[in-house]
Amino acid sequence: MSDTNSQLAASAEIRARIDTATPHSARFWNYFVGGKDNYEVDREIGDQIKEIFPGLVDVALTSRLFLGRAVRHLIREEGIQQFLDIGTGLPTADNTHEVAQRVAPDARIVYVDNDPIVLAHANALLTSTPEGSTAYLDADLYAPDTVLEAAAGTLDFSRPVALIILNTLGHVADHDQARDLVRRLMAGLPAGSFLVISDSTATSEGMIAASDAYNASGATPYYVRSVEEIAAFFEGLELVAPGITRVPSWRPDPETPTDPAAASVDAYCGVARKP
């Protein structure tokens, strides 16, 4: 089979895996940040949840801004030029590779997701500056060894790497299992690497109600956690100031101030270095 026919067959297989009748976390999030890659079922649950808890839209928007600040900090202040972004979701504006290569054109980025709707848009992500590299892996957070082995085809694991897991660990129901997955991924990265995490938190009745409504929709469940449980992902690592904090409060950019109404979002984050 020719390369072109193989690619067409793979594309058809991916499209066949897409369920347009059930809400989907990546499409749901895409709707919240103003994207176009979503279906009516995603918009319906999105609108329902906005009525229950409008603040979830602020979580989506401020999390995207946090990603940009974290990537720029890691490049400018920590010298990181390699990024492993797991559970990247659907491409929107200012994806990891765009932010990174705007600052460091030779940055190398590997995206990881096993979701068919995301894979169907992979070509939009597979862009790069001539100096750098961007790759996309059809792989699973639950198989960290496989992820690391495949990522080594693009990233140089003799040099530090930033592991990014944003708004993804909530899909792992068991907290101990989620911690173990993070530990195993970080164990495969060299000293001087960084961990970047943000997730929605059970810090208000509104967020808990929104999570319950989303989980009742038939979509893959997402479990909001306590701030202490988010902090536990960073055990054994050296937190970058200001430590574990609400997403808008992590090194805010004075040139792009956060809407005061979004400052108390129910989402916490952190960035930490592997000693």
Side-chain angles (χ1 to χ4, degrees):
M1 183 181 291
S2 70
D3 289 344
T4 299
N5 288 339
S6 296
Q7 290 170 359
L8 289 173
S11 179
E13 188 275 331
I14 288 170
R15 287 196 300 272
R17 289 162 52 191
I18 297 174
D19 177 6
T20 61
T22 303
H24 185 282
S25 60
R27 300 192 311 247
F28 167 83
W29 211 247
N30 177 265
Y31 173 53
F32 271 6
V33 298
K36 306 293 185 184
D37 299 311
N38 48 73
Y39 295 100
E40 182 63 28
V41 67
D42 308 300
R43 295 187 288 274
E44 286 177 356
I45 187 62
D47 291 339
Q48 176 187 340
I49 287 177
K50 280 194 285 187
E51 288 190 15
I52 296 171
F53 183 57
L56 192 56
V57 177
D58 292 328
V59 170
L61 295 173
T62 57
S63 295
R64 174 59 51 162
L65 293 174
F66 163 68
L67 170 65
R69 297 196 307 276
V71 169
R72 287 189 291 270
H73 168 81
L74 289 170
I75 293 175
R76 291 170 176 163
E77 306 300 326
E78 309 291 354
I80 299 296
Q81 294 196 329
Q82 301 191 105
F83 298 85
L84 178 57
D85 188 338
I86 297 182
T88 179
L90 285 162
T92 54
D94 284 339
N95 301 289
T96 299
H97 74 284
E98 293 169 322
V99 176
Q101 292 180 344
R102 201 176 294 143
V103 181
D106 57 345
R108 306 173 74 83
I109 298 90
V110 172
Y111 292 103
V112 178
D113 212 303
N114 70 334
D115 202 296
I117 188 68
V118 176
L119 296 173
H121 291 78
N123 286 336
L125 287 173
L126 287 172
T127 59
S128 177
T129 57
E131 304 95 326
S133 180
T134 303
Y136 197 97
L137 304 178
D138 180 2
D140 196 322
L141 171 67
Y142 291 94
D145 295 338
T146 301
V147 168
L148 292 168
E149 182 179 356
T154 300
L155 305 178
D156 177 3
F157 282 174
S158 70
R159 299 189 296 116
V161 175
L163 171 63
I164 299 174
I165 315 177
L166 303 190
N167 305 300
T168 297
L169 290 167
H171 287 302
V172 183
D174 184 80
H175 183 244
D176 288 338
Q177 182 183 20
R179 290 176 62 193
D180 181 63
L181 292 171
V182 172
R183 281 196 298 265
R184 290 170 63 188
L185 286 163
M186 289 302 296
L189 303 181
S193 292
F194 282 80
L195 174 63
V196 181
I197 286 176
S198 73
D199 258 307
S200 299
T201 49
T203 41
S204 76
E205 292 183 2
M207 175 56 87
I208 294 170
S211 176
D212 289 344
Y214 177 77
N215 292 346
S217 72
T220 301
Y222 186 97
Y223 303 94
V224 290
R225 296 192 160 103
S226 68
V227 179
E228 291 75 19
E229 287 174 316
I230 300 298
F233 292 129
F234 296 93
E235 287 180 359
L237 306 177
E238 301 169 347
L239 281 164
V240 172
I244 307 301
T245 183
R246 290 185 190 270
V247 168
S249 300
W250 196 90
R251 296 177 176 259
D253 183 355
E255 295 181 5
T256 55
T258 301
D259 181 343
S264 59
V265 296
D266 294 295
Y268 276 71
C269 66
V271 176
R273 180 183 182 275
K274 179 178 178 178

